[in-house]
Amino acid sequence: MRESENETYSLISRLNAWFLNRGTHTYNKLTHRFKKELFSGLSGSVLEIGAGTGANFDYYPENLDLWMLEPSPYMRDYLHEKAVEVEQDVHIISGYAEEIPCQDNKFDAVVTTLVLCTVNDVEQSLSEIYRVLKPGGVFHFIEHVAASEQSWLRTLQNGITPFWKIMADGCHPNRETGEWIRKSGFMDIKLERINVSIPVVSPHIIGSAFKPE
Ligand SMILES: C[S@@+](CC[C@H](N)C(=O)[O-])C[C@H]1O[C@@H](n2cnc3c(N)ncnc32)[C@H](O)[C@@H]1O
């Protein structure tokens, strides 16, 4: 990559961190009920992947051994700030979902919110999530996904994806993430489709999947 391209990407990443940080409050209001329910049962050691600017700090119960993995240094700056603000003990680590820098069978739970739309390789990321979960551990997710195939919204999502990917730091509005989760080796998959009142990426899935004992 040329130096000027590098600078453009870095500017976009910086702007995305800023926008995400500003938009989190509104998004959390829209999804509050779902996040509250999803996070309330967490205990033990928990890894959040692609933790961004710390959108989920308010939802974690106390006394967790909490880890957050985040590749972007701009996002991690916000994460560190927010961890201090909410007085949360957390291990913030740098890395990618496709190669989680943690040992096998380490976590009781792994969480992603709005991350599998952005990773480079969904299959590899899910395989890594599976690897770092303890047997019997649970993967919780809230992800925006592709609209149903014949819908006008899906046509819009397909058309806008090449531009959106660049402006939203790798995010794909038209990913069939639920299908990837279904074929990734987890069991007892609970997956609900919901609509969140935001443009283009309103269709979401929310749910849990277990690693067999
Ligand atoms: C739309 S943001 C969501 C952030 C946060 N989870 C939230 O709910 O606000 C997507 C996040 O995924 C991170 N990300 C992008 N590619 C990633 C990868 N390959 N592995 C892990 N995280 C990644 C981005 O840096 C960003 O923080």
Side-chain angles (χ1 to χ4, degrees), residues 1-13 166:
M1 198 184 283
R2 288 197 308 262
E3 189 60 25
S4 59
E5 279 176 309
N6 241 333
E7 279 169 19
T8 308
Y9 280 114
S10 140
L11 179 65
I12 290 174
S13 296
I166 296 169

Side-chain angles (χ1 to χ4, degrees), residues 9-22 24 48-55 57 68-83 92-95 113-115 118 167-171:
Y9 280 114
S10 140
L11 179 65
I12 290 174
S13 296
R14 200 184 287 256
L15 277 173
N16 266 285
W18 186 82
F19 275 120
L20 186 69
N21 194 46
R22 305 271 301 184
T24 286
E48 180 175 345
I49 295 176
T53 61
F57 269 123
M68 290 183 171
L69 176 74
E70 173 50 57
S72 157
Y74 310 115
M75 301 279 185
R76 284 201 306 275
D77 284 348
Y78 286 105
L79 274 184
H80 283 291
E81 260 174 41
K82 225 168 267 179
I92 297 170
I93 52 176
S94 166
T113 64
L114 311 180
V115 175
T118 302
M167 297 317 291
D169 224 1
C171 171

